[in-house]
Amino acid sequence: MNNATDTLIPAPRTRVTDLTQRSHTARRNHLIDQTFKYLGVAATFIGLIVLAYFIIDIAIDGIGRIDWDFLTSLPSRKAEKAGILPAWAGSAWILALTAIISLPLGVAAGVYFEEYAKESRMNHLLEVNIANLAGVPSIIYGILGLEVFGRLMGFGESLLAGAFTLALLILPIIIVATREAIKAVPSTLREASYGLGATKWQTIKWQVLPAASGGILTGTILSLSRAVGETAPLIVIGALAYVPFVPSGPMDQFTVLPMQIFNWTSRPQAAFLTNAAAAIIVLLLITFIMNGIAIYLRNRWQKNLK
């Protein structure tokens, strides 16, 4: 009996030791989680503080230069008379043409891959390539656009060549956004449509796409807000740094706000740097407005899905 009692005594100690080790492990994991949490918060605040510093510095330099004459005047060799009319008009042309080209192609491709494509090596290869294209440097698209649209198709240095090039740049983003938006549509909506006798295309056209329109528009606007700040592809295409006229058609030569900013910042006169700061504010406002619209559409779309 004594031997049996002696063998049973260490068991509670072992359980207490295990519980102590688990408690130490839990406290350590909690400490690690809290450390990463506060590091993430600190990194976020550092980024926001740096961004706020740059925006405030640019606003101080350029906000006084923005007026109606600055927005409606042509570029000039005299900084006091220079304006951004051709630049923002060219940006508006580029945005409109890029949206017209990329939106139907991106949505159609997204619908095909999500609703019609079957499991095959070819489709899998296409999906992988589309995902990889989103990470290709933008200047590569500029080289491709110069050869295909500028030379082979004869668009030259026109707005149309720049729009097709930027459409290629943002097409993968629109395709991915379309697929994700369609995935988020409840399957019960499709089943109800099929139950009423609708065909697959009728279901997609009248039920799936309207329900997914908020997500699709959100992805499209975010991709266009990226395109409005792109400079490298347009430089390769042949966008001009100095354009003393407003484009009147898709085959005209053009400049855009990033190109105009680059042109002014490369000049030594301080007055041109003030113009560049003012143009940056205008470009930031366009980007913030587009992102705000995208956020509003996303929130409204999520509420409709719920």
Side-chain angles (χ1 to χ4, degrees):
M1 293 294 294
N2 293 335
N3 292 336
T5 304
D6 292 339
T7 57
L8 292 174
I9 289 174
R13 295 179 181 177
T14 304
R15 287 196 295 270
V16 171
T17 303
D18 291 340
L19 290 174
T20 304
Q21 290 178 349
R22 291 177 183 176
S23 178
H24 287 312
T25 302
R27 285 197 297 267
R28 184 181 62 186
N29 291 337
H30 179 71
L31 180 62
I32 293 173
D33 290 341
Q34 292 298 313
T35 301
F36 275 106
K37 173 184 175 181
Y38 289 117
L39 284 176
V41 172
T44 302
F45 273 106
I46 290 173
L48 291 175
I49 290 171
V50 173
L51 178 62
Y53 170 78
F54 284 121
I55 292 177
I56 292 172
D57 183 63
I58 291 171
I60 292 173
D61 292 339
I63 194 68
R65 182 67 180 87
I66 299 177
D67 54 20
W68 184 250
D69 290 336
F70 181 73
L71 297 174
T72 57
S73 298
L74 299 175
S76 173
R77 298 184 184 276
K78 296 181 179 180
E80 296 78 10
K81 297 182 179 181
I84 59 170
L85 177 58
W88 71 256
S91 294
W93 268 100
I94 283 289
L95 278 177
L97 291 174
T98 302
I100 291 172
I101 295 168
S102 61
L103 184 58
L105 292 176
V107 173
V111 169
Y112 167 76
F113 282 115
E114 195 59 34
E115 297 289 343
Y116 290 99
K118 299 179 180 179
E119 289 291 336
S120 66
R121 291 184 177 180
M122 178 60 68
N123 288 331
H124 179 68
L125 180 64
L126 290 174
E127 291 176 0
V128 171
N129 285 331
I130 289 172
N132 291 334
L133 284 174
V136 173
S138 59
I139 195 169
I140 304 300
Y141 287 97
I143 296 172
L144 176 65
L146 174 65
E147 183 62 30
V148 175
F149 305 122
R151 295 175 179 173
L152 293 181
M153 299 183 68
F155 293 154
E157 301 173 353
S158 66
L159 284 162
L160 206 55
F164 271 108
T165 302
L166 292 182
L168 285 180
L169 176 66
I170 67 174
L171 199 57
I173 305 174
I174 298 177
I175 293 174
V176 173
T178 300
R179 295 190 63 182
E180 294 300 322
I182 292 175
K183 282 182 182 178
V185 176
S187 58
T188 53
L189 193 65
R190 296 180 177 85
E191 294 170 359
S193 179
Y194 293 145
L196 292 174
T199 63
K200 187 169 187 176
W201 170 241
Q202 289 174 334
T203 300
I204 294 171
K205 181 179 179 181
W206 299 110
Q207 302 298 328
V208 176
L209 286 180
S213 59
I216 295 171
L217 288 176
T218 299
T220 302
I221 293 172
L222 291 177
S223 62
L224 288 173
S225 66
R226 176 192 174 184
V228 75
E230 286 290 344
T231 308
L234 300 180
I235 291 176
V236 177
I237 287 294
L240 303 178
Y242 177 79
V243 175
F245 57 87
V246 177
S248 58
M251 295 305 296
D252 289 347
Q253 291 183 314
F254 69 101
T255 189
V256 289
L257 278 171
M259 288 291 297
Q260 187 65 69
I261 293 168
F262 169 77
N263 183 25
W264 280 336
T265 54
S266 62
R267 299 191 179 188
Q269 297 92 336
F272 282 110
L273 296 179
T274 301
N275 288 351
I280 290 172
I281 294 173
V282 174
L283 183 58
L284 285 175
L285 286 175
I286 294 173
T287 305
F288 289 159
I289 290 171
M290 294 180 68
N291 289 339
I293 294 172
I295 293 171
Y296 169 76
L297 291 174
R298 181 189 64 191
N299 293 336
R300 184 176 177 182
W301 172 61
Q302 290 175 346
K303 289 180 180 179
N304 290 336
L305 283 181
K306 291 179 180 180

